Amino acid sequence: MEMSKKRGKDRVKTIKKYRNVMLRIMDVIVIITAYYIAEIIIGNTFIMSKEINRTIINTIILAVIIYSGLLHIFKTYKNITRYENGNDYLIYIVACLIAYIGITIIEIIGKFNIVNPRTNMIAALIIVTTIIGYRVVLRLILTENYQSAEEQQGNKKRKVLIIGAGEAARIVLRTLKTTMKETYEVVGLIDDNINKVNYAISGNRILGTRYDIPKICKEHQVEGILFTISNIKNQDRKDILKICQETGCKVRILPGTAELIKDKRLMDSFRDVEIEDLLGRDPIKLDNSNIGKLIENKVVLVTGGGGSIGSELCRQIVRYCPEKLIIIDIYENSLYDIEQELKTNYPNIEIDAIVANVREKERLDEIFEEFKPYLVFHAAAHKHVPLMETSPLEAIKNNVFGTYNVVNCADEYQVKRFILISTDKAVNPTNIMGATKRLCEMIIQAKNKVSQTEYAAVRFGNVLGSNGSVVPLFKKQIANGGPVTVTHKDITRFFMTIPEAVSLVLQAMSYAEGGEVFVLDMGEPVKIYDMATNLIKLSGLEPNVDIQIKVTGLRPGEKLYEELLMAEEGLTQTKHDKIYVAKPMDINIDKIEKKLTELKRLLHECTNEQKDEIKRTIKDVVPTYQEGKQEKNS
């Protein structure tokens, strides 16, 4: 048995090594044989005269030159036989047809001593049929031997179920069958159109609807699910993926049919399921005309432009063709990355990336003096709650006084509109970071009363995939084999994707008249423990079996539930159904500046270790600060 397997593998190697020469020799043999068979059919006899033999020999010499030459010109000998398909066989037909026409023309014009037209035509039919036929047989033999060799090496096909029975599924099936049949075995397809059930695409049967997924995966021992439906409602995608979660199979999503048209490997087109696929949100509709009027041909400045929110702001702003985009960040690496990305994608937009610290007023003065921005988006901030609890003075320096510096520059250099990127943690804050962001909101509301610049803030919750977001951490922990850490089993958060949040920031900017705190509709709050469970399941693993979920306890300053609105704020819906505006609060600039003076004293007199003193002062400045009450909702 082992000897026969070894001989099979050796035969494959020999064929690969000498395939080009062998194919040419076999084609010549086919051409010679075809003309003799054709003459036998025409003459209805096996016995030929010397004259006929001479005629056939003359014709064969000419035919070998023309047929072989054309097959060479059409590069048929460079094909990998095992991967040949209908398009390749069509080329064989075209080459043989041209050869037949060429020989016929030579016979008519040149009056050479060659066979009659009927013999030439029959020979041509035999040649093209045989050349294609033996290549098909050879392909089947090579494929079988190749698969046997793969199986001997211990490679096992992975059983997959395809969701969707449309054009994308057809392309996926074709690609899997032609180039990846040794790796994947398609057990069938799923489609919610019951009229398609039990019919087939490319020989693969449609086995049922979404509700049959768990049963099919169990019966056929499916290991992976390929989600190929791109034109689908977000809620339907969410519902189908929730069903897939219960199968224990790894799920991968094809973003769109266009991804398959690009010159790339099929499986590279698929992506892992992201948690945002489970949010079930409909695409956000924007009033682009209003946004465009404010940005087009204007100078726009973004602070913190290298961060996750700031960089996405830059990406969306350049789509509206500003005259110039100024990007400020203290961290040079991320600043360089976004600068290069935008210059590559938008070569006609002038982009200036500037390394600067918002804490330094003189440096900001230089920038505002030189560029005279029309719009300012202030995204620069320290946002990591536990780290700011450890270093509260840094939160005050960067968040409060950094914002105060940019706010004053906007006023002094007559900026039209200033947008502060705020957070839900500013509502009844239980941590230093949230308290400093609430103070930033108070600063812009107070400054709006005494300045020609229109100041507004946009408040939203967690954004998926942002720096410091829990989702990238979970993915890293899953990749490392666990455990996945959750601070509390009941902790919930509002979530939105980065592009979603930034789109709404731009829309809110177009509504601002000054003094508003815009609040984004973040949808339903999500349980972090459930999120961890879903991510593990969508990775094809079992929570608390393959990957442990460890509850570590609430961190300093962390709430169980985040809020988006303070009790004293009224809430009014804007023209956009996902943007609300809080009633501007009566905040006096003189009082704010007096409180800022107290904080400056704090910066000079205290150290990060004097946290109690710092928190008492912050409490005086921000009355809604509820230090030490993070578990009040438990």
Side-chain angles (χ1 to χ4, degrees):
M1 184 69 175
E2 288 299 320
M3 286 297 292
S4 64
K5 287 180 180 178
K6 188 176 185 302
R7 280 197 298 270
K9 290 169 72 176
D10 291 342
R11 186 166 64 249
V12 172
K13 288 180 181 178
T14 304
I15 291 172
K16 285 181 178 178
K17 186 175 180 181
Y18 298 108
R19 62 175 297 281
N20 209 320
V21 176
M22 290 169 64
L23 287 173
R24 290 177 188 272
I25 293 171
M26 288 176 71
D27 287 346
V28 170
I29 293 170
V30 168
I31 294 165
I32 295 169
T33 307
Y35 273 95
Y36 275 108
I37 292 173
E39 190 59 45
I40 290 169
I41 293 171
I42 294 296
N44 198 25
T45 178
F46 287 94
I47 302 169
M48 300 177 194
S49 66
K50 289 183 179 180
E51 186 178 342
I52 292 174
N53 268 326
R54 279 198 301 271
T55 302
I56 291 175
I57 291 169
N58 289 340
T59 307
I60 286 172
I61 292 170
L62 181 62
V64 167
I65 293 170
I66 293 177
Y67 275 97
S68 298
L70 283 166
L71 289 170
H72 177 79
I73 289 168
F74 279 91
K75 299 180 180 179
T76 61
Y77 296 113
K78 291 189 176 181
N79 291 346
I80 299 174
T81 308
R82 188 162 58 89
Y83 294 136
E84 284 186 324
N85 55 33
N87 291 331
D88 298 307
Y89 299 139
L90 183 61
I91 291 171
Y92 287 116
I93 294 170
V94 171
C96 291
L97 178 62
I98 294 171
Y100 161 69
I101 294 170
I103 293 170
T104 303
I105 291 171
I106 290 171
E107 179 188 29
I108 295 169
I109 296 174
K111 296 183 179 179
F112 288 100
N113 185 23
I114 57 179
V115 295
N116 65 58
R118 285 196 302 157
T119 303
N120 190 31
M121 184 177 67
I122 293 172
L125 290 172
I126 294 170
I127 290 167
V128 70
T129 305
T130 309
I131 283 177
I132 292 174
Y134 86 75
R135 277 170 167 78
V136 170
V137 172
L138 190 60
R139 188 190 74 183
L140 295 173
I141 292 169
L142 286 170
T143 302
E144 186 179 343
N145 278 280
Y146 183 84
Q147 287 177 326
S148 299
E150 289 287 309
E151 287 168 7
Q152 288 165 33
Q153 293 169 14
N155 290 339
K156 183 184 174 185
K157 286 186 182 181
R158 191 173 181 213
K159 291 184 177 181
V160 295
L161 177 69
I162 293 178
I163 295 180
E167 178 62 16
R170 188 187 65 78
I171 296 171
V172 169
L173 283 169
R174 186 182 66 199
T175 309
L176 288 174
K177 284 189 173 183
T178 54
T179 63
M180 307 180 80
K181 64 184 344 181
E182 302 85 9
T183 309
Y184 295 97
E185 178 187 341
V186 178
V187 302
L189 296 92
I190 289 294
D191 198 283
D192 279 345
N193 185 345
I194 56 173
N195 295 320
K196 291 183 179 181
V197 175
N198 291 324
Y199 285 89
I201 297 178
S202 301
N204 293 96
R205 198 160 65 91
I206 300 165
L207 301 173
T209 66
R210 70 176 74 174
Y211 305 106
D212 299 307
I213 291 173
K215 180 182 70 175
I216 292 167
C217 288
K218 187 175 181 180
E219 287 178 358
H220 294 271
Q221 296 180 315
V222 172
E223 298 171 73
I225 297 174
L226 302 180
F227 194 106
T228 67
I229 313 171
S230 55
N231 186 21
I232 185 173
K233 290 180 180 178
N234 288 331
Q235 185 61 47
D236 284 335
R237 177 188 279 111
K238 174 184 175 181
D239 293 343
I240 293 172
L241 290 175
K242 280 199 170 182
I243 293 171
C244 292
Q245 278 178 225
E246 304 309 315
T247 65
C249 300
K250 184 173 177 62
V251 184
R252 303 202 76 202
I253 291 181
L254 184 68
T257 308
E259 295 293 322
L260 291 177
I261 298 170
K262 297 175 184 174
D263 185 20
K264 63 198 292 191
R265 291 183 61 218
L266 170 71
M267 298 314 290
D268 290 341
S269 299
F270 283 91
R271 61 169 173 81
D272 289 338
V273 177
E274 304 288 354
I275 201 69
E276 48 261 45
D277 293 313
L278 297 174
L279 291 180
R281 297 253 178 81
D282 291 325
I284 290 174
K285 295 177 182 176
L286 299 179
D287 183 353
N288 292 319
S289 60
N290 276 356
I291 299 170
K293 284 176 188 175
L294 280 164
I295 293 176
E296 189 176 1
N297 297 322
K298 304 295 195 308
V299 178
V300 183
L301 184 147
V302 178
T303 70
S308 48
I309 297 296
S311 61
E312 182 62 24
L313 267 169
C314 294
R315 290 185 191 97
Q316 295 197 27
I317 287 167
V318 291
R319 295 173 194 165
Y320 295 96
C321 302
E323 176 190 332
K324 187 180 292 186
L325 176 62
I326 315 301
I327 311 173
I328 295 176
D329 204 292
I330 189 60
Y331 183 49
E332 61 183 21
N333 291 346
S334 57
L335 180 64
Y336 176 79
D337 288 342
I338 188 63
E339 177 195 28
Q340 293 306 306
E341 177 190 327
L342 296 180
K343 284 186 174 180
T344 299
N345 295 332
Y346 300 90
N348 297 324
I349 304 291
E350 190 175 345
I351 295 165
D352 285 279
I354 300 171
V355 177
N357 193 336
V358 293
R359 299 181 186 186
E360 298 172 1
K361 179 65 163 58
E362 289 182 4
R363 178 69 173 126
L364 291 175
D365 282 329
E366 293 172 4
I367 296 168
F368 275 75
E369 173 67 34
E370 180 180 355
F371 295 105
K372 301 288 193 304
Y374 182 79
L375 298 172
V376 171
F377 292 87
H378 181 51
H382 286 323
K383 306 180 185 75
H384 199 282
V385 170
L387 289 180
M388 292 307 100
E389 289 298 294
T390 306
S391 305
L393 293 182
E394 295 305 308
I396 295 169
K397 289 176 191 175
N398 203 63
N399 293 0
V400 177
F401 288 102
T403 298
Y404 187 59
N405 288 338
V406 184
V407 162
N408 284 331
C409 282
D411 175 47
E412 293 163 20
Y413 296 94
Q414 300 176 347
V415 168
K416 168 65 177 173
R417 194 163 293 171
F418 176 104
I419 302 296
L420 167 71
I421 305 300
S422 191
T423 169
D424 57 355
K425 293 174 178 62
V427 182
N428 298 320
T430 59
N431 51 69
I432 290 291
M433 193 283 282
T436 58
K437 293 299 283 185
R438 175 57 194 149
L439 182 50
C440 292
E441 292 180 354
M442 294 164 67
I443 290 170
I444 64 109
Q445 286 189 316
K447 191 70 176 180
N448 186 73
K449 293 183 176 181
V450 296
S451 173
Q452 294 298 310
T453 300
E454 298 160 354
Y455 293 91
V458 181
R459 185 191 291 164
F460 50 87
N462 297 272
V463 283
L464 294 165
S466 67
N467 297 331
S469 169
V470 71
V471 176
L473 174 63
F474 284 172
K475 287 182 176 179
K476 191 181 291 184
Q477 290 174 334
I478 291 168
N480 292 335
V484 171
T485 55
V486 178
T487 58
H488 195 288
K489 205 161 187 178
D490 296 323
I491 194 168
T492 64
R493 289 292 180 267
F494 293 99
F495 279 99
M496 188 176 271
T497 66
I498 296 175
E500 245 185 328
V502 168
S503 295
L504 290 174
V505 168
L506 292 179
Q507 189 71 81
M509 176 271 297
S510 72
Y511 295 155
E513 295 177 353
E516 303 98 336
V517 173
F518 291 98
V519 179
L520 304 188
D521 179 0
M522 303 290 293
E524 294 298 316
V526 177
K527 249 188 177 182
I528 302 297
Y529 191 91
D530 291 346
M531 180 184 285
T533 301
N534 291 337
L535 278 173
I536 293 169
K537 285 183 176 180
L538 290 169
S539 300
L541 302 167
E542 184 67 26
N544 292 317
V545 177
D546 302 311
I547 300 286
Q548 293 297 315
I549 301 178
K550 183 180 178 182
V551 178
T552 59
L554 288 172
R555 298 173 297 180
E558 189 173 38
K559 290 183 183 181
L560 273 181
Y561 312 110
E562 295 291 3
E563 306 157 84
L564 288 170
L565 192 69
M566 293 190 298
E568 65 267 30
E569 295 174 315
L571 198 64
T572 307
Q573 188 167 2
T574 65
K575 289 179 283 185
H576 197 286
D577 61 359
K578 289 189 177 294
I579 302 175
Y580 296 82
V581 61
K583 180 182 175 182
M585 298 184 69
D586 186 17
I587 300 172
N588 184 279
I589 189 65
D590 293 330
K591 288 183 179 178
I592 285 290
E593 289 185 336
K594 185 182 288 187
K595 290 179 177 182
L596 292 177
T597 302
E598 292 178 37
L599 285 179
K600 275 187 181 176
R601 175 193 59 79
L602 190 73
L603 295 178
H604 287 102
E605 295 178 3
C606 291
T607 65
N608 276 304
E609 283 67 38
Q610 294 172 284
K611 293 184 180 64
D612 291 340
E613 174 66 20
I614 295 168
K615 289 175 181 178
R616 276 197 299 271
T617 307
I618 287 289
K619 175 68 178 174
D620 291 338
V621 177
V622 183
T624 55
Y625 176 40
Q626 303 174 48
E627 185 268 322
K629 295 184 180 180
Q630 65 264 32
E631 296 187 48
K632 66 186 179 68
N633 293 317
S634 59

